[in-house]
């Protein structure tokens, strides 16, 4: 899914804003788990199964430019697409521990 062209650079603009915030705060990484934060950065991506739930996936954004979907094995393929990461970068919480 190539939504960068469809949304006119919205994703790149939001990512640049997040990087600027991270730089100002001295952060090397930022973890987005709340539904509203995840949807904002991914331009409408869904990280939950049912509305009202805490997200089933988090998005770990590193200042180096890497982005990781942190989720269960079941949700990994869908989250890799929603979070704009490649499936090889999608990692389960099990691998992160």
């Amino acid at each position: 899914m190539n939504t960068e062209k469809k949304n006119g650079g919205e994703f790149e603009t939001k990512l640049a804003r997040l990087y600027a915030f991270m730089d100002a705060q001295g952060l090397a990484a930022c973890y987005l788990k709340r539904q509203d934060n995840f949807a904002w950065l991914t331009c409408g991506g869904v990280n939950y199964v049912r509305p009202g739930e805490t997200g089933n996936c988090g998005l770990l954004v590193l200042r180096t430019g890497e982005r990781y979907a942190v989720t269960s094995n079941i949700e990994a393929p869908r989250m890799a697409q929603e979070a704009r990461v490649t499936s090889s970068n999608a990692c389960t919480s099990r691998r992160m521990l």
Side-chain angles (χ1 to χ4, degrees):
M1 174 166 73
N2 186 358
T3 55
E4 282 89 10
K5 290 180 182 174
K6 189 167 79 173
N7 66 30
E10 179 184 358
F11 175 70
E12 293 82 4
T13 300
K14 289 177 176 181
L15 195 56
R17 288 177 61 191
L18 180 59
Y19 287 151
F21 172 79
M22 292 167 65
D23 290 343
Q25 300 297 315
L27 301 174
C30 183
Y31 184 65
L32 303 172
K33 174 101 172 161
R34 287 181 27 168
Q35 293 176 15
D36 54 345
N37 293 334
F38 187 93
W40 172 79
L41 182 60
T42 60
C43 306
V46 175
N47 70 334
Y48 59 90
V49 176
R50 289 182 298 273
E53 290 184 341
T54 302
N56 294 326
C57 172
L59 181 57
L60 179 63
V61 178
L62 303 181
R63 189 56 192 96
T64 58
E66 297 169 273
R67 295 183 306 273
Y68 296 92
V70 181
T71 189
S72 66
N73 289 329
I74 293 170
E75 291 292 321
R78 181 175 73 88
M79 288 297 103
Q81 186 176 24
E82 291 284 341
R84 299 168 189 250
V85 295
T86 62
S87 58
S88 61
N89 282 346
C91 55
T92 65
S93 56
R94 210 173 298 146
R95 287 189 210 147
M96 294 294 290
L97 296 176

